[in-house]
Amino acid sequence: MNAIETNGITLASLVLRIAIGANLLGHGIVRMGNKYEIFRDWIKTLFSDTPLPSVLIYTMGYIIPPMELVLGVLIILGWNTKWSLVLASLLMCSLIFGMCLLEKWEIVGIQMIYMVCYFLALSSIENQILSIDSFLKTRNL
């Protein structure tokens, strides 16, 4: 698809990609700042009564914020977009599982809406514009 084509699907794909990326980037920035330790402690406390091993909880507390930040940047830029969206989807799956263990069904419902957004973004991956991926694709033709 030509980078200057702007039909409804291409524009929707662009806006959704930017929104997903901004959401992840915002989460990552807030949590990576001076709240990084607070976030890790909150995760440890939140999941302390679940059957998850403490080493897994501790590890997730460390990796979630930087993953959100990096994936947010990659998705906004549209670089390795398909795999960035897949990784973000898998991250969301782990968050959904965690909230199920805590029986936070209202949060699971919201997270499922995120999954629909990831599905739509992945479904329209070939319609990207204004992305590093689409730029590289047109240069290789």
Side-chain angles (χ1 to χ4, degrees), residues 2-71:
N2 188 332
I4 59 171
E5 284 186 45
T6 54
N7 62 39
I9 297 296
T10 10
L11 288 173
S13 179
L14 171 65
V15 172
L16 183 59
R17 189 185 88 229
I18 291 170
I20 290 170
N23 181 278
L24 285 165
L25 179 62
H27 276 84
I29 287 172
V30 167
R31 291 175 176 164
M32 284 298 294
N34 58 0
K35 295 183 179 180
Y36 193 33
E37 187 175 341
I38 294 167
F39 176 77
R40 292 191 321 258
D41 290 343
W42 175 70
I43 290 286
K44 285 192 299 190
T45 303
L46 187 64
F47 289 96
S48 63
D49 292 334
T50 67
L52 296 174
S54 59
V55 68
L56 178 62
I57 298 167
Y58 187 75
T59 303
M60 290 302 285
Y62 268 97
I63 67 170
I64 289 172
M67 274 187 74
E68 289 171 329
L69 192 135
V70 170
L71 289 170

Side-chain angles (χ1 to χ4, degrees), residues 1-11 13 124-130 133-135 137-138 141:
M1 177 165 288
N2 188 332
I4 59 171
E5 284 186 45
T6 54
N7 62 39
I9 297 296
T10 10
L11 288 173
S13 179
S124 65
I125 202 80
E126 296 301 320
N127 297 306
Q128 286 193 76
I129 57 171
L130 300 176
D133 291 342
S134 64
F135 173 76
K137 186 177 177 181
T138 58
L141 292 179

